[in-house]
């Protein structure tokens, strides 16, 4: 890893604090728990951790509803615990990235409480999007925009006005036309930069600025558009004005020493449109969800890789790669369905279950493919032990607002958020000291416990450790790709390493050369079986 601009080829591990490690035994993970498990990240060999929100919050959207941007929720610890975590990470040469949630606050935020109290026409209401309703008595929402979690994007308050929330009712959208809002977030950036963070993951980065006048929008309101589709940009997403915000933030980051970075969560397509977020004076990285969503076929994967790389090239940025996070079905389960099967709404009791063995085989192959690509790769806690989705969570324990706002039609994201297993044969698999767990863990997760896989040849944990080590050794994160053609293969050379993934139904011969790593067993004759990736010294 180059010391300069560490993020260019970094492997960044997402910690979802509530489900990583619970030191105080209340069933919710916490900062001290994370600190106590940092050596796991050292063992894995990652460069940085990204912490999902740990700020004071009523937790209506698992902390993505922030009530105070400059503190730690007592359920997760204290600012002193945060400082200890940063110090412990630095001792281990791990960088720390924190989540920033600028599109909306919690309804518990003092600004929103002031807005409610101050009433229509007040300056306090200007900080959000309050409007009169339509209809005779204003009983209809101001427009027909829908919430990403289901239902209308507007909620009426007792005095008759409505406020906009693109997500849950408890997450009112801020008005980014207001200089005061911009100023507040610059102060928040500085607050965490002063505490030593190395960067920010920017939530809903494509949503902050809305088209002026909040015009009606009746077309499908997905926050990502199909590649190449002729479309008008929806008035709530990807507005040109967001880029001024990131230019301003970039100046703030650049005024600090070290290589502080920003990565945008922007559900935007096509790739050229996403590239606008990573122009030289804006963010450093943007998540590559087009790659995450690419079906498991050689053609789709190659197109996703090539268009992603081509997309960022004109702006001189690097690509990012990601397969799992806290918003999508874990890739060890997602890939256990036929290509084209949508798991977007989550999986629950009564849904067709994934083929677990197939899913894991493909997930291991997918991870090796991802870790061979130039740029920065994101891992989501638990994937390094091959953790699947919890597909049989009882509906009554679900907490994702999507489940409630969709009137129980969309299961939501709880299945990928279940506390992760560390040790076999102990309460909560070592997640908490007393067996507490905010979501129930399946009864058969002993086999995924990190302690059971450590040092075991062929285990998923061993595969991740080896892959990250070899990625660094061979400079794969900084390389360029030369492609080879082959039916049902993704096949390229990255520097001194040939990377081949077999998407077909029959084994294929490997090119000559030392086999550095394989995601599964090779066939008896040394050929590469279906759904398997090999790295061969080229
Ligand atoms: C994206 C986050 O990843 C997700 O978990 C959250 O629900 C929404 N943004 C709203 O903040």
């Amino acid at each position: 890893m180059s010391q300069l601009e560490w993020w260019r080829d970094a492997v960044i591990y997402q910690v979802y604090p509530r489900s990583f490690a619970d030191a105080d035994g209340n069933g919710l993970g916490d900062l001290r728990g994370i600190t106590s498990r940092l050596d796991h990240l050292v063992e894995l060999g990652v460069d940085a951790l990204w912490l999902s929100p740990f700020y004071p919050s009523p937790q209506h959207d698992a902390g993505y509803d922030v009530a105070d941007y400059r503190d730690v929720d007592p359920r997760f610890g204290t600012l002193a615990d945060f400082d200890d975590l940063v110090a412990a990470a630095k001792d281990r040469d791990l960088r720390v990235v924190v989540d920033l949630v600028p599109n909306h606050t919690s309804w518990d935020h003092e600004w929103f409480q002031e807005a409610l109290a101050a009433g229509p026409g007040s300056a306090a209401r200007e900080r959000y999007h309050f409007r009169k309703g339509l209809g005779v008595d204003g009983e209809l929402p101001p427009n027909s925009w829908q919430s990403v979690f289901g239902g209308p994007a507007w909620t009426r308050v007792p005095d008759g006005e409505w406020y906009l929330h693109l997500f849950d009712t408890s997450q009112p959208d801020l008005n980014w036309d207001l200089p005061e809002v911009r100023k507040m977030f610059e102060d928040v950036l500085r607050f965490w930069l002063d505490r030593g963070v190395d960067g920010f993951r920017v939530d809903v980065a494509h949503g902050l600025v809305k088209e002026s006048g909040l015009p009606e929008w009746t077309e499908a309101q997905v926050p990502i558009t199909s590649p190449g589709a002729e479309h008008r940009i929806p008035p709530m997403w990807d507005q040109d004005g967001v880029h001024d915000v990131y230019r301003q933030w970039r100046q703030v980051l650049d005024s600090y020493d070290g290589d502080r970075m920003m990565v945008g969560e922007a559900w935007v397509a096509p790739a050229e449109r996403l590239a606008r977020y990573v122009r030289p004076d804006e963010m450093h990285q943007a998540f590559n969800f087009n790659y995450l969503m690419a079906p498991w076929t050689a053609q789709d994967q190659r197109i996703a890789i090539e268009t992603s790389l081509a997309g960022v090239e004109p702006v001189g940025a690097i690509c990012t790669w990601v397969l799992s996070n806290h918003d999508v079905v874990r890739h060890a389960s997602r890939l256990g369905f036929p290509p084209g099967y949508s798991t977007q709404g989550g999986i629950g009791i009564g849904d067709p279950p994934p083929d677990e063995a197939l899913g894991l085989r493909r997930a291991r192959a997918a991870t090796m493919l991802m870790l061979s690509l130039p740029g920065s790769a994101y891992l989501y806690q638990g994937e390094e032990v091959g953790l699947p989705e919890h597909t049989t969570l009882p509906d009554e324990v679900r907490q994702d607002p999507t489940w409630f706002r969709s009137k129980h039609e969309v299961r939501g994201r709880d299945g990928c958020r279940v506390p992760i297993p560390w040790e076999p044969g102990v309460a909560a698999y070592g997640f908490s000291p007393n067996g507490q767990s905010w979501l129930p863990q399946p009864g058969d997760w002993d086999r995924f416990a990190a302690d059971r896989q450590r040092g075991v040849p062929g285990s998923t944990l061993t595969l991740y450790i080896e892959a990250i080590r070899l990625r660094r050794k061979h400079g794969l994160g900084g390389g360029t790709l030369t492609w080879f053609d082959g039916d049902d293969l993704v096949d390229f050379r990255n520097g001194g390493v040939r990377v081949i993934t077999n998407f077909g139904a029959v084994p294929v011969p490997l090119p000559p050369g030392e086999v550095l790593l394989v995601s599964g067993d090779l066939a008896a004759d040394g050929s590469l079986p279906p759904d398997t990736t090999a790295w061969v010294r080229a």
Side-chain angles (χ1 to χ4, degrees), residues 132-140 156 159-162:
K132 289 193 187 357
L134 303 178
V136 184
D137 294 317
E139 73 281 9
L140 299 172
R156 200 173 192 192
D159 58 46
E161 282 205 329
W162 297 73

Side-chain angles (χ1 to χ4, degrees), residues 395-406:
D395 286 342
E396 33 322 338
V397 304
R398 292 191 181 281
Q399 302 205 14
D400 184 349
T402 311
W403 170 245
F404 303 103
R405 290 195 58 85
S406 70

Side-chain angles (χ1 to χ4, degrees), residues 191-456:
F191 179 87
W192 294 104
L193 288 166
D194 289 341
R195 292 198 108 85
V197 305
D198 296 287
F200 300 91
R201 177 266 190 191
V202 181
D203 189 62
V204 198
H206 57 315
L208 276 49
V209 174
K210 277 75 180 174
E211 192 175 324
S212 144
L214 311 183
E216 188 52 275
W217 182 259
T218 49
E219 290 171 45
Q221 193 220 304
V222 280
I224 189 159
T225 49
S226 341
E230 285 302 314
H231 62 275
R232 193 164 86 76
I233 308 274
M236 66 294 285
W237 306 123
D238 197 24
Q239 298 294 304
D240 288 347
V242 289
H243 298 287
D244 293 338
V245 176
Y246 304 132
R247 286 196 190 98
Q248 190 53 42
W249 289 4
R250 179 63 177 256
Q251 287 180 19
V252 174
L253 265 64
D254 285 350
S255 72
Y256 279 77
D257 60 354
D259 293 311
R260 319 284 180 122
M261 60 82 90
M262 280 183 286
V263 52
E265 187 228 13
W267 289 83
V268 168
E272 298 74 43
R273 204 67 210 171
L274 185 62
R276 293 156 51 93
Y277 288 74
V278 287
R279 288 178 286 197
D281 58 348
E282 297 194 36
M283 300 213 186
H284 304 77
Q285 301 180 345
F287 283 109
N288 185 353
F289 297 121
N290 296 307
Y291 174 72
L292 182 150
M293 294 187 304
W296 187 250
T297 73
Q299 198 193 12
D300 288 308
Q301 293 282 319
R302 177 165 174 174
I303 290 173
I305 294 167
E306 287 191 302
T307 53
S308 303
L309 290 167
V312 291
E313 218 216 301
V315 295
I318 55 115
C319 255
T320 66
W321 312 100
V322 61
L323 291 165
S324 282
N325 64 34
H326 65 294
D327 289 331
V328 297
V329 166
R330 285 180 175 277
H331 67 289
S333 297
R334 204 171 66 230
L335 297 174
F337 292 99
Y341 180 91
S342 173
T343 57
Q344 230 178 351
I347 308 173
I349 295 168
D351 292 337
D355 177 333
E356 191 181 290
L358 178 69
L360 184 57
R361 190 160 73 242
R362 287 183 176 164
R364 292 167 55 115
T367 297
M368 267 187 67
L369 176 55
M370 172 174 85
L371 289 174
S372 74
L373 294 170
S376 180
Y378 280 81
L379 308 180
Y380 176 48
Q381 64 179 39
E383 67 168 85
E384 74 277 22
V385 291
L387 204 65
E389 190 84 355
H390 190 335
T391 56
T392 54
L393 266 182
D395 286 342
E396 33 322 338
V397 304
R398 292 191 181 281
Q399 302 205 14
D400 184 349
T402 311
W403 170 245
F404 303 103
R405 290 195 58 85
S406 70
K407 302 202 167 47
H408 299 179
E409 271 180 21
V410 182
R411 311 257 191 197
R413 303 161 294 179
D414 293 309
C416 65
R417 299 176 172 182
V418 175
I420 60 173
W422 294 97
E423 300 156 39
V426 300
Y429 309 107
F431 162 69
S432 66
N434 52 5
Q436 297 294 310
S437 172
W438 69 279
L439 282 174
Q441 299 161 299
D444 62 348
W445 272 12
D446 271 343
R447 62 210 162 107
F448 296 111
D451 282 4
R452 176 163 282 184
Q453 298 191 25
R454 182 164 298 110
V456 176

